[in-house]
Amino acid sequence: MSASGPRLQPTLFELSKPGRGGDKIPHAPKGALDRLPAEHRRAHPPGLPELNEPDVVRHYVNLSQLNHAVDTGFYPLGSCTMKWNPKVNEWAARLPGFAQLHPMAPDDVAQGTLQLLWELEQMLIEISGMRAVTLQPAAGAHGELTGVLMIRAYHEARGDTGRTDVLVPDSAHGTNPATATMAGLRTVSIKAAADGGIDLDAFRAALSPTTAAVMITNPSTMGLFESRVGELIEAVHAVGALAYMDGANLNAILGRFKPGEAGFDVMHINTHKTFSTPHGGGGPGAGPVAVGDKLAPYLPAPRVVREADGSFRLERVGERPTSIGRMRSFVGSTGVLVRAYAYLRTHGASGLAEITDDAVLAANYLKSLLAASGVYDIPFPGVCKHEFIASATSIKKQTGVRTLDIAKRLLDHGFHAPTVYFPLTVDEAMLIEPTETESIETLDAFANALVEIAREAATDPETIKTAPHTAAVRRLDEAGAARNPNLRWRPAVGDWTPCPD
Amino acid sequence: MAYGPHTPADRRRMLTALGMQSADELFADIPPALRSTPLRLDPPEPEQLLMGRLAHMAGRNRVDLASFLGAGAYRHFSPPLVDQILLRGEWYTAYTPYQPEVSQGTLQSIYEYESLMAELTGLDIVSASHYDGAAATAEAALMTCRATGRRRVLVSRAVHPHYRAVVRTYVDGAGLDLEDIPLVADGPLAGTTDLAALDRLLADADHPTAGVILAQPSFYGLLEPMAEAGSRAHAAGALFVAVVEPVSLAVLAPPGAYGADIAAGEGQALGIPAQYGGPYLGILACTEPLVRQIPGRLVGMTTDVDGKRAYVMTLQAREQHIRREKAASNICTNQTLLALAASVWLASLGPHGLRDVAAHGASRAAELEAALAAIGIERVHPGAYLNEFAIRVPNAAAVHHTLLARGVLAGLVIEDAVPDEPSVADALLVCTTEVTTSDDIAAFARELEAVLA
């Protein structure tokens, strides 16, 4: 096993050399720790690497170059909305007034941030068509949990304690059923109709006095607008249950559909999808939750309050006893929310509507190119929203090349792969989401690459089955990684210098 | 649109390819009754004006005060290189490493994060990040119930009140039970977790305990009897969870050394700005036998088909996208960029730099204690502390407010955060770190003396 090649890096620990580095901060006075009882002291210093500044910077710059990113190329990862991350947003979040503000700073010294959060809530209320918003959840899944806990609190407050079930379509993201479990509820999975949408009859048959909520992703994970959602919400309310909308796909409906107006009771919003906050290699995100009147009393605490004199404050501990409580340490991922605020201000009403139009136009255009090629199956041929499903079922039948292989071969063409094998309901699925910030030239080039790979599958399947060939590493031994997990580096004893005192 | 690439001709070409006249036709699938009212928002704002607006808003926050506020979020020096690395687009504009062949940078950085945290905590399994300290603690509480098959969690009242509140939200949500462990009321151990009370709670055979949660240092800055609490938990068949502050682990015994099964904590102190509460970094670590109970992503070292060293997400059978309603948690992606920040910060400071950060904080705290004692202000609790402690101040809330106008942020009014703990009424929680100056301390003592006079 070696770590060779131009950019592959040894670990930080292998780069370490005893005695290297230091002098970033002054040495602490001798004896600073003498007053600590010995039984609480650490016996040996932690085996952290010893590196100087050039070591550290080169390590991380070289590592960074092993990543595909939105800043380096097209990233059509369905359900993730990998749109452009504006650079002014990074500047904004780093303004010292925002970045250095302590989360328990008194309201008097936090007026700028409190105003920003309050204004952001108002914008999200308008976009969602809801009545109130919490910015507390740290991610989409965290928002889901917040929403479902509020639904539970609503039923319990009415003495309606027999509601144990959450109805979820089988095409839903795995976080929906996992959330129901975390909220102490049971998931009932409902099959999709033949057209990929809600099977109204199946839902009606499953709805009962034990239904707490229905969770619907709209547009669905198949990229389709749920045209029967109005009837479904009516049926849900008729049995006394509430309707949750997973807002992962909000990018497709800005200014075209407001979930609150349509009758949804609660939804979460992924700022890292629709509102351009960076995905960070897998977080941080933010998952604000918007609610209608029924759930507003149960919003997590503390909320931002606007006083009659125009000043802002956080709710005090225990001020709103109906609240489900706290979801996290402090009021929210403010650094992420500053970026989302900047993005919303940049676009305004007309810009947001244009985002959705362009995102949906790009997805339909790309879909039409693949449909016209005749080599990929397009299971849902009608108009799509911001993303669509293509499938390699026919290619697999004819050549043995699978969706996974095509995904890997795309990496050789300089593209990130789409989301693959999701949703679970379509065989050999590729969920493709181009977003509104990719040019027509990029869309054409991506379609051409997919078609070329399909052609290559017929002539040279082995090259595809062993792809990628140009990435820093080739296919990985994932089974071995799971069988004998190596989840940490173990520095050899004596790799570091003992503490001076 | 600010970041869109399409010219009017591009849009026409795409619509023509679809046989459409206008974008409206793309939305014909939305039933008319469901179509939205127009968005009522301000018009788009050009970047130059936006920057002016944001700079003005940021300027309305006051971050120039001599601050002694900690209470779960800490100011520390961060070498400029840390943020310069974080600003590389290859890091912050990538996503979860679903395609490992083109995500080795992120994957290796997570593996290194796991390794660094394993060193700090003394526990072998580190999940690649949670939302923040409180959410990680709540996940730890749920872990103890899954692992033991029991339903009751005990949490010390010396754990951060916000963490206790979040544990309450999660535990209630899952239909489990949560009880407080009270504090010692007086004597040399005042303010620390009451071990005799813990014994009584653990002795309740009708309600077997899944997990016991203590914080080190505690919310009040005190050093807790971790080893004693842990052995009591184990004797009762429960797991022991330590809520830790990672900088302190440079000098304090790590959870692995005193028998903790799980460590949870807030990673913000590791080079992440306070930014009014987030994004932060939830640290969650456990012993090897609990690996299948830990939520969140795990990255392992493996090889590619050529035998080259490589990294990959692994043991995913715990996770929601495979297990759905049977998953260990609904957590999906989390805080990778913050884990990177913590790793770069730790790599920049090294073991001795980290020790200096912790020792400096302790040294400044002793200086603060002495300066306050000189004006007659005493600590509330007699026990040992690291860099944070509670002081008794008459009319604490009013004094705190007055000091603000004099340029001093005098820590936290404890009663605001813990209204149900009479022993800390009229008390402030104050904290120092390596960025606290002697001038700050002198100003605090001087202004406080003036206000109390």
Side-chain angles (χ1 to χ4, degrees):
Chain A
M1 196 155 84
S2 70
S4 61
R7 295 167 301 169
L8 290 176
Q9 288 290 300
T11 63
L12 282 172
F13 298 91
E14 292 162 282
L15 289 169
S16 174
K17 187 167 178 185
R20 193 168 274 166
D23 294 333
K24 290 287 185 196
I25 63 165
H27 293 300
K30 278 229 177 307
L33 300 165
D34 289 353
R35 62 182 173 79
L36 296 186
E39 76 261 27
H40 290 302
R41 292 287 301 275
R42 186 170 188 128
H44 306 286
L48 303 179
E50 294 179 59
L51 305 160
N52 68 347
E53 180 165 312
D55 288 338
V56 175
V57 172
R58 284 185 180 156
H59 180 72
Y60 283 107
V61 170
N62 278 300
L63 276 186
S64 78
Q65 292 178 353
L66 302 175
N67 281 351
H68 187 96
V70 173
D71 275 8
T72 70
F74 188 38
Y75 213 133
L77 200 60
S79 97
C80 298
T81 314
M82 302 299 291
K83 64 169 67 179
W84 182 249
N85 301 147
K87 303 310 161 193
V88 69
N89 299 357
E90 297 306 304
W91 168 87
R94 286 168 169 81
L95 283 166
F98 291 138
Q100 292 173 21
L101 187 65
H102 192 286
M104 294 179 95
D107 299 330
D108 286 357
V109 300
Q111 287 296 303
T113 290
L114 288 170
Q115 180 187 346
L116 181 145
L117 296 177
W118 189 85
E119 288 184 10
L120 178 59
E121 285 184 6
Q122 304 312 304
M123 291 191 263
L124 296 180
I125 287 169
E126 171 60 21
I127 288 165
S128 63
M130 295 283 183
R131 297 299 289 269
V133 162
T134 173
L135 300 173
Q136 213 175 104
H142 205 215
E144 289 178 39
L145 180 59
T146 305
V148 176
L149 288 175
M150 283 192 274
I151 289 170
R152 231 185 77 163
Y154 165 83
H155 291 310
E156 279 170 9
R158 293 154 47 94
D160 194 354
T161 52
R163 295 189 181 268
T164 50
D165 299 344
V166 177
L167 274 45
V168 179
D170 58 358
S171 58
H173 196 270
T175 51
N176 292 179
T179 296
T181 303
M182 279 189 94
L185 300 171
R186 197 173 69 100
T187 300
V188 179
S189 186
I190 309 285
K191 267 198 180 337
D195 65 357
I198 290 168
D199 185 335
L200 211 48
D201 292 335
F203 267 99
R204 284 195 173 121
L207 283 165
S208 82
T210 64
T211 309
V214 169
M215 294 179 88
I216 297 292
T217 307
N218 189 28
S220 72
T221 58
M222 278 160 281
L224 305 175
F225 189 87
E226 292 285 13
S227 57
R228 296 181 286 274
V229 77
E231 292 94 313
L232 177 64
I233 293 170
E234 248 173 63
V236 169
H237 287 161
V239 299
L242 297 186
Y244 185 105
M245 195 181 105
D246 183 323
N249 297 334
L250 182 61
N251 210 47
I253 51 174
L254 296 169
R256 296 279 182 178
F257 174 76
K258 294 182 184 173
E261 288 179 350
F264 276 107
D265 300 292
V266 49
M267 72 176 292
H268 77 263
I269 293 164
N270 303 81
T271 67
H272 45 290
K273 296 181 182 181
T274 314
F275 301 130
S276 81
T277 67
H279 282 77
V289 172
V291 296
D293 286 328
K294 283 179 197 155
L295 293 183
Y298 308 102
L299 285 166
R303 296 190 64 192
V304 179
V305 178
R306 187 170 187 264
E307 300 282 23
D309 67 357
S311 67
F312 301 90
R313 68 172 177 89
L314 290 182
E315 284 177 335
R316 292 178 295 274
V317 176
E319 179 171 342
R320 187 165 42 87
T322 52
S323 167
I324 57 165
R326 255 179 204 280
M327 291 301 297
R328 62 183 297 162
S329 303
F330 301 110
V331 72
S333 289
T334 307
V336 174
L337 299 169
V338 168
R339 291 169 170 94
Y341 176 88
Y343 185 78
L344 287 168
R345 281 271 176 210
T346 296
H347 287 86
S350 60
L352 292 177
E354 211 167 284
I355 283 170
T356 282
D357 286 7
D358 281 353
V360 173
L361 179 59
N364 278 281
Y365 174 70
L366 186 52
K367 182 180 175 187
S368 76
L369 296 180
L370 292 184
S373 78
V375 286
Y376 288 91
D377 305 302
I378 305 290
F380 307 110
V383 70
C384 66
K385 294 276 82 59
H386 65 307
E387 63 188 355
F388 65 95
I389 294 180
S391 160
T393 301
S394 300
I395 294 172
K396 186 180 167 196
K397 212 172 289 166
Q398 289 152 16
T399 68
V401 166
R402 300 178 300 153
T403 281
L404 179 75
D405 304 317
I406 295 166
K408 297 298 182 196
R409 189 60 173 147
L410 274 170
L411 308 180
D412 288 331
H413 286 260
F415 297 114
H416 197 278
T419 295
V420 293
Y421 300 104
F422 180 83
L424 310 174
T425 48
V426 176
D427 288 337
E428 299 298 319
M430 285 182 248
L431 186 60
I432 303 174
E433 180 178 9
T435 84
E436 72 281 5
T437 55
E438 296 297 337
S439 68
I440 191 167
E441 291 80 12
T442 299
L443 303 178
D444 289 342
F446 181 70
N448 288 340
L450 273 173
V451 172
E452 193 185 317
I453 292 168
R455 206 172 293 138
E456 193 179 30
T459 57
D460 182 10
E462 209 43 39
T463 297
I464 304 181
K465 288 179 182 174
T466 54
H469 300 283
T470 59
V473 296
R474 294 178 59 208
R475 290 199 198 185
L476 306 183
D477 181 6
E478 301 194 20
R483 210 168 34 244
N484 297 305
N486 171 351
L487 302 175
R488 63 165 293 193
W489 184 263
R490 288 181 189 279
V493 175
D495 270 2
W496 59 87
T497 322
C499 227
D501 62 33
Chain B
M1 194 241 296
Y3 308 106
H6 303 311
T7 65
D10 291 339
R11 288 198 183 90
R12 267 199 310 282
R13 207 183 109 198
M14 288 192 276
L15 283 169
T16 304
L18 297 169
M20 292 181 181
Q21 302 296 314
S22 112
D24 289 342
E25 294 173 57
L26 294 164
F27 298 90
D29 54 346
I30 304 183
L34 296 181
R35 287 180 196 162
S36 112
T37 54
L39 286 175
R40 289 162 303 168
L41 295 170
D42 289 341
E45 192 157 70
E47 190 161 298
Q48 182 191 335
L49 301 183
L50 174 73
M51 289 172 74
R53 175 195 295 277
L54 289 164
H56 177 75
M57 288 177 104
R60 293 190 62 210
N61 295 333
R62 287 207 53 195
V63 292
D64 59 336
L65 305 161
S67 175
F68 296 87
L69 183 53
Y74 299 94
R75 293 186 304 152
H76 287 290
F77 172 73
S78 186
L81 82 89
V82 176
D83 199 44
Q84 289 177 28
I85 295 292
L86 295 186
L87 268 171
R88 285 192 70 91
E90 299 95 324
W91 290 120
Y92 80 85
T93 75
Y95 197 27
T96 303
Y98 293 120
Q99 298 292 336
E101 298 89 346
V102 292
S103 309
Q104 285 296 303
T106 294
L107 286 161
Q108 183 172 336
S109 79
I110 294 174
Y111 177 85
E112 291 175 351
Y113 165 81
E114 292 168 358
S115 305
L116 292 164
M117 287 300 144
E119 283 300 320
L120 276 183
T121 59
L123 295 169
D124 282 338
I125 307 298
V126 177
S127 155
S129 76
H130 284 263
Y131 305 133
D132 62 17
T137 304
E139 291 279 12
L142 300 184
M143 270 177 86
T144 65
C145 294
R146 283 197 302 274
T148 61
R150 299 176 175 183
R151 313 185 48 81
R152 178 187 185 224
V153 176
L154 304 178
V155 60
S156 164
R157 287 184 61 83
V159 171
H160 195 298
H162 293 181
Y163 289 29
R164 288 194 283 130
V166 175
V167 172
R168 167 68 63 193
T169 307
Y170 275 62
V171 163
D172 282 355
L176 302 165
D177 304 320
L178 180 68
E179 284 176 64
D180 284 354
I181 313 166
L183 308 181
V184 175
D186 41 39
L189 298 177
T192 62
T193 303
D194 186 342
L195 292 176
L198 173 61
D199 282 336
R200 286 192 294 277
L201 288 161
L202 288 171
D204 182 350
D206 295 338
H207 302 96
T209 300
V212 172
I213 307 177
L214 265 68
Q216 180 78 319
S218 78
F219 174 66
Y220 299 107
L222 299 171
L223 299 184
E224 288 270 58
M226 301 303 274
E228 293 82 349
S231 58
R232 283 164 162 81
H234 290 155
L239 296 174
F240 183 51
V241 179
V243 177
V244 295
E245 197 291 302
V247 168
S248 75
L249 293 178
V251 298
L252 295 183
Y258 50 72
D261 303 286
I262 304 172
E266 176 54 68
Q268 174 271 331
L270 305 175
I272 297 164
Q275 48 191 343
Y276 207 60
Y280 283 179
L281 169 63
I283 297 169
L284 189 60
C286 67
T287 56
E288 205 278 328
L290 291 171
V291 65
R292 285 177 205 273
Q293 299 299 340
I294 197 168
R297 299 226 147 113
L298 296 171
V299 169
M301 185 190 278
T302 185
T303 53
D304 77 353
V305 292
D306 296 330
K308 266 190 211 165
R309 182 193 285 175
Y311 303 85
V312 69
M313 294 195 289
T314 193
L315 301 179
Q316 299 192 59
R318 301 161 295 115
E319 295 192 55
Q320 48 75 27
H321 62 288
I322 311 274
R323 296 275 285 168
R324 299 179 76 85
E325 68 270 17
K326 296 190 183 68
S329 165
N330 75 344
I331 199 160
C332 186
T333 54
N334 31 74
Q335 306 294 95
T336 302
L337 194 69
L338 291 311
L340 176 71
S343 297
V344 180
W345 189 82
L346 285 169
S348 305
L349 292 180
H352 309 307
L354 185 68
R355 183 192 170 281
D356 280 331
V357 171
H360 250 297
S363 167
R364 290 294 186 203
E367 189 180 334
L368 176 65
E369 182 187 1
L372 294 174
I375 59 165
I377 296 295
E378 301 291 343
R379 287 178 59 212
V380 175
H381 308 114
Y385 66 95
L386 185 62
N387 67 325
E388 190 158 22
F389 55 85
I391 53 175
R392 188 76 67 193
V393 176
N395 303 315
V399 169
H400 186 270
H401 189 76
T402 309
L403 285 172
L404 213 51
R406 294 168 173 250
V408 177
L409 178 46
L412 179 76
V413 180
I414 297 178
E415 201 174 5
D416 286 351
V418 199
D420 58 348
E421 191 77 60
S423 66
V424 284
D426 275 336
L428 301 175
L429 184 65
V430 294
C431 162
T432 59
T433 69
E434 80 288 355
V435 300
T436 309
T437 65
S438 288
D439 286 349
D440 293 339
I441 291 171
F444 187 7
R446 183 179 67 238
E447 298 300 332
L448 180 56
E449 187 174 29
V451 169
L452 292 176

